[in-house]
Amino acid sequence: MDWDSLFGGDYDYFDLPDLTPELSEKEASSMAELGGFEPGMDLLDAPCGHGRHANVLASRGYRVVGIDRDERFLAMARNEAEKTGAQVDYRHVDLREMSFAAEFDAAVSWYSSFGYFDDDTDRDILRRYRRALRPGGRFLLDMHSPYRHIPSVLANHDMHVDILRRGQDMAIDIQELDAEASRYYAEKTTIRDNKVERARYSVRMFTAPEISEWFRSAGFSHTRVMDETGATFTVSSRRLVVLGTA
């Protein structure tokens, strides 16, 4: 996983403009509604990235801890929090090293931030989310629906290509599906000011029964799978959202 290349300056240039404050506000509202979160809760945002959700949630009365492995993102998050007056406890912590123990009423992993490691590591990360929660605490996980990716890949000879343009610059994402491993492997190429950069990554794709089994194995007592609106998850759903109760 080429984290520094994938989330470096080209990410800011190509991806951040689409992550508007209005979108962050809307997604924070969805989290609260889907998870049944209430202001005053102790909430973990992991990974928090550049704080676009953590700062909104803190401004709405949640006591938020945000963790991320990227110091640059954390600096961006703290800078924005200072501008807006949001009170967030930002910490430099890798998901694989989370060691919280019954400290939170709720935790969130939003915007397809799960499934980037091997299965054993990802299962361990789920257990770490579970241990971070108090009894009855809730963990909300948001991912791409596998059914939105697979047809487009298969229709294009096992490959799917996304192209994003910013003026004369381009970001090209080439995704190839490994059906046996239930992962897609991707190479992102950015062409900016005539400079070419490449980053490779892979993401695990989950069906609803499979991710439910993972949650149960991680120690969650109850699991609900839904789409991004809270409705029943179907093959036409854009997102797969899982709510686990400790």
Side-chain angles (χ1 to χ4, degrees):
M1 180 71 183
D2 195 352
W3 295 104
D4 293 335
S5 296
L6 190 61
F7 296 111
D10 283 340
Y11 175 85
D12 298 0
Y13 179 74
F14 286 105
D15 295 278
L16 286 191
D18 292 331
L19 304 179
T20 63
E22 292 77 15
L23 177 64
S24 299
E25 292 275 356
K26 180 179 179 181
E27 290 178 341
S29 295
S30 294
M31 292 179 197
E33 182 177 353
L34 297 176
F37 302 159
E38 297 289 344
M41 281 184 168
D42 292 309
L43 189 148
L44 173 66
D45 185 0
C48 64
H50 46 93
R52 67 188 189 92
H53 296 126
N55 288 335
V56 172
L57 291 165
S59 71
R60 298 184 181 183
Y62 296 88
R63 294 187 296 271
V64 183
V65 172
I67 71 164
D68 204 275
R69 66 170 299 280
D70 193 323
E71 289 275 26
R72 190 178 71 88
F73 274 172
L74 290 171
M76 294 167 64
R78 293 184 182 110
N79 183 60
E80 184 63 25
E82 185 175 352
K83 290 180 181 177
T84 62
Q87 299 294 315
V88 181
D89 181 0
Y90 285 113
R91 306 180 191 179
H92 183 220
V93 180
D94 191 294
L95 289 177
R96 294 165 290 184
E97 298 172 354
M98 285 192 299
S99 58
F100 302 109
E103 298 179 40
F104 299 96
D105 303 303
V108 294
S109 173
W110 206 257
Y111 203 61
S112 300
S113 297
F114 181 76
Y116 286 87
F117 304 106
D118 61 77
D119 281 5
D120 287 343
T121 302
D122 283 330
R123 283 184 179 274
D124 182 63
I125 289 171
L126 269 186
R127 289 191 289 269
R128 291 173 185 269
Y129 279 116
R130 168 63 185 83
R131 287 196 295 268
L133 296 173
R134 297 175 179 130
R138 283 158 278 177
F139 173 48
L140 194 65
L141 175 65
D142 158 80
M143 299 180 289
H144 289 297
S145 165
Y147 306 115
R148 299 285 287 185
H149 275 71
I150 292 172
S152 62
V153 172
L154 295 180
N156 290 280
H157 309 288
D158 299 330
M159 183 179 293
H160 177 72
V161 180
D162 285 322
I163 300 176
L164 175 63
R165 299 194 64 157
R166 300 285 186 208
Q168 297 300 309
D169 304 315
M170 288 190 296
I172 305 163
D173 210 8
I174 302 173
Q175 303 168 1
E176 296 182 82
L177 177 69
D178 182 336
E180 184 177 1
S182 194
R183 300 186 75 93
Y184 71 80
Y185 292 84
E187 179 176 345
K188 187 171 186 176
T189 301
T190 57
I191 306 169
R192 180 183 175 195
D193 296 331
N194 295 318
K195 182 180 179 181
V196 179
E197 298 281 352
R198 289 185 173 87
R200 293 178 175 85
Y201 64 97
S202 73
V203 183
R204 184 73 149 77
M205 307 300 291
F206 293 92
T207 63
E210 184 177 32
I211 193 62
S212 294
E213 185 278 325
W214 276 44
F215 266 64
R216 287 191 295 271
S217 294
F220 289 92
S221 62
H222 178 73
T223 302
R224 178 190 173 199
V225 176
M226 58 193 131
D227 71 8
E228 66 277 12
T229 69
T232 301
F233 179 73
T234 69
V235 294
S236 61
S237 298
R238 186 176 64 90
R239 312 289 298 179
L240 189 158
V241 179
V242 190
L243 176 64
T245 303

